[in-house]
Amino acid sequence: SFTSSFYRQKQKPLMVLQVTLFNAGLLVVDHLHFQYNGFLIGILLLALYLAFERRYLLLLNVVSMLVLLKHLFVPLVPIFAIFLLRAYCGFGSAFSMPRFLRVILITAAHLCVAFGPFLIGAGGGTPQLYQILSRLFPFGRGLLHSYWAPNLWALYALCDRVIGRITSVDVSRLSAAVSNPTGGVIGEFVPLALPAVGSVGALSMVILSMIPAWCRIYSEPTPRVLLRAIVYASLSVFMFGYHVHEKASIIPTIVLGLVCFESEVSAQLFLHLATVSSFCQLPLIDSGHEHMLWVKAVIFTAYMALLYNFFHSKVSQACLYSWFFVLFVFLALFIFSDVISPAILTADFHGDGFVTLLLRKLQFFPFLPLLLTSTVCAVVMMACWVYSIVFLFQRVGDEDKKKM
């Protein structure tokens, strides 16, 4: 309901509801892949609503519960913390110690309720806490998942494999999971030619990318800027995080959807981000059965039609042409990954012609569709992340003057 404060036209909040509820990526992950991202993102949206309502203590309680429910939201804690310190505690202006103590006590209470039983129960203490943290942050799984999330590290891994092949690096010493990181086997990613990136390196990249959001929310601690900072920060975590899953891209997409009709910048960013975020979820659904192939195609196509209907008059022609180009590339990827590649893998080729030899060669790369999907989507995601910097630093008053 609080989206009505962003728009003058009464129909825009209903349009926001449609692009959120019918998000193709969220439908695939929550209703076909069977996870619970919608429930958690709903709590995040509730936290943003409380920020707009200036109900700071309730906001603190909701954010604390959200982080304890899913550690995926831990990187957003500094954003909310800076917002509460500036907007509620008056840090940097008229600082209120009683309010600051309330923040500390509420946060400590949530931590005690969540971790207290493990510390004081039978066999509790430090070992139990270590077990919890080791499962929440499994750094032993490596930089990349078996299906590369479309972020910076997917491009890094692709460059590493290409350089390794060109320089004829010996991969016989590596395990199958390491030498074929997209082979569906869980194992730590070890570069062939480029320097290895560990958890500390990825964390450093995340922190560095977060600094603009921290500075922005500190200089202007308003709910509108908080929303922009959450979009940028969650997208930055996805782009530079360690062992990130593709479904993490849904978070900035849903949050951005709240203001996607607010300005041309937000509309252009949402159009591309919602498209690539939805498409990169499709490989999670097995297309071995023909009806699942049609389900994926219908869900994605219907959502793209919805986006075109809402945004074709809201964005520039250049933006629309670039979106059409992205859709064309995704269509070619979908046909190759879900139609052509399965046919090649199950076919029996005879003869010595060039095409036959090429098709036989492709049979040795069963995970080529995943690699192409990850890297192509990573390029689009990187462009969205760069443009999100413009969205982050756009003056809040600018879109107020030209509300859509």
Side-chain angles (χ1 to χ4, degrees), residues 205-231:
M205 290 289 292
V206 170
I207 293 175
L208 288 174
S209 66
M210 288 279 203
I211 292 176
W214 297 346
C215 295
R216 181 77 167 100
I217 191 64
Y218 183 86
S219 62
E220 193 175 349
T222 64
R224 285 175 178 266
V225 174
L226 173 66
L227 188 147
R228 292 169 178 271
I230 292 297
V231 171

Side-chain angles (χ1 to χ4, degrees), residues 30-31 41 43 134 141 147 159 195 226 234 267 282 322 334 362 369:
D30 271 21
H31 300 282
I41 296 174
I43 297 178
S134 64
R141 293 183 182 178
Y147 165 37
C159 294
L226 173 66
S234 55
L282 298 184
S322 69
F334 183 80
L362 288 175

Side-chain angles (χ1 to χ4, degrees), residues 2 5-6 45-62 80 82-90 99 102-103 217-227 396 400:
F2 72 102
S5 63
F6 300 137
L45 297 184
L46 174 61
L48 290 172
Y49 167 74
L50 294 172
F52 277 83
E53 292 294 311
R54 311 284 180 173
R55 301 173 69 177
Y56 298 116
L57 293 182
L58 192 53
L59 164 65
L60 176 59
N61 280 280
V62 170
F80 283 106
I82 295 173
F83 174 75
L84 286 171
L85 286 174
R86 293 279 286 137
Y88 177 66
C89 300
R99 290 189 172 188
R102 289 192 197 110
V103 171
I217 191 64
Y218 183 86
S219 62
E220 193 175 349
T222 64
R224 285 175 178 266
V225 174
L226 173 66
L227 188 147
V396 174
D400 288 337

Side-chain angles (χ1 to χ4, degrees), residues 127-180:
Q128 286 284 355
L129 192 59
Y130 172 77
Q131 289 295 330
I132 294 173
L133 294 177
S134 64
R135 282 162 173 74
L136 288 176
F137 305 99
F139 295 123
R141 293 183 182 178
L143 179 66
L144 294 164
H145 191 254
S146 56
Y147 165 37
W148 297 352
N151 58 13
L152 175 68
W153 307 125
L155 300 176
Y156 187 84
L158 176 66
C159 294
D160 173 74
R161 261 42 192 180
V162 171
I163 295 174
R165 294 292 181 183
I166 294 175
T167 57
S168 301
V169 174
D170 182 19
V171 298
S172 59
R173 58 186 174 83
L174 303 177
S175 66
V178 170
S179 60
N180 185 17

Side-chain angles (χ1 to χ4, degrees), residues 6 15 38 70 112 140-141 176 185 195 214 249 302 311 316 350 357 375:
F6 300 137
M15 295 166 65
K70 186 69 173 179
C112 289
R141 293 183 182 178
V185 180
W214 297 346
S249 64
F311 290 97
S316 64
H350 301 281
L357 293 176
T375 51

Side-chain angles (χ1 to χ4, degrees), residues 169-398:
V169 174
D170 182 19
V171 298
S172 59
R173 58 186 174 83
L174 303 177
S175 66
V178 170
S179 60
N180 185 17
T182 61
V185 180
I186 298 297
E188 185 172 357
F189 171 75
V190 177
L192 298 177
L194 298 177
V197 178
S199 56
V200 175
L203 178 61
S204 301
M205 290 289 292
V206 170
I207 293 175
L208 288 174
S209 66
M210 288 279 203
I211 292 176
W214 297 346
C215 295
R216 181 77 167 100
I217 191 64
Y218 183 86
S219 62
E220 193 175 349
T222 64
R224 285 175 178 266
V225 174
L226 173 66
L227 188 147
R228 292 169 178 271
I230 292 297
V231 171
Y232 171 80
S234 55
L235 188 56
S236 296
V237 172
F238 177 79
M239 291 305 301
F240 306 109
Y242 190 86
H243 196 82
V244 175
H245 288 237
E246 59 287 331
K247 62 179 178 287
S249 64
I250 298 175
I251 298 173
T253 305
I254 297 297
V255 177
L256 177 61
L258 298 175
V259 292
C260 61
F261 299 105
E262 193 177 42
S263 67
E264 186 175 343
V265 171
S266 60
Q268 293 178 161
L269 178 59
F270 180 81
L271 183 62
H272 288 80
L273 184 59
T275 300
V276 64
S277 175
S278 297
F279 185 80
C280 72
Q281 313 303 324
L282 298 184
L284 296 176
I285 306 303
D286 183 20
S287 299
H289 301 285
E290 183 178 354
H291 70 278
M292 291 307 300
L293 175 64
W294 283 106
V295 167
K296 290 164 59 173
V298 169
I299 289 176
F300 184 75
T301 304
Y303 190 55
M304 293 304 102
L306 180 70
L307 293 183
Y308 176 78
N309 182 48
F310 285 167
F311 290 97
H312 73 277
S313 60
K314 308 290 191 302
V315 299
S316 64
Q317 286 295 314
C319 174
L320 204 58
Y321 290 150
S322 69
W323 184 64
F324 284 144
F325 176 75
V326 169
L327 283 183
F328 175 78
V329 173
F330 284 170
L331 174 63
L333 266 177
F334 183 80
I335 294 174
F336 175 75
S337 302
D338 292 77
V339 180
I340 298 177
S341 181
I344 292 175
L345 294 175
T346 57
D348 186 15
F349 299 104
H350 301 281
D352 298 322
F354 173 76
V355 175
T356 303
L357 293 176
L358 177 62
L359 294 176
R360 285 179 183 170
K361 188 70 174 177
L362 288 175
Q363 289 182 324
F364 291 97
F365 299 95
F367 291 94
L368 180 61
L370 280 182
L371 187 147
L372 291 175
T373 300
S374 297
T375 51
V376 170
C377 289
V379 173
V380 182
M381 278 288 188
M382 184 59 70
C384 290
W385 177 78
V386 172
Y387 197 60
S388 70
I389 301 176
V390 178
F391 172 73
L392 174 66
F393 285 101
Q394 183 187 30
R395 288 178 53 195
V396 174
D398 290 347

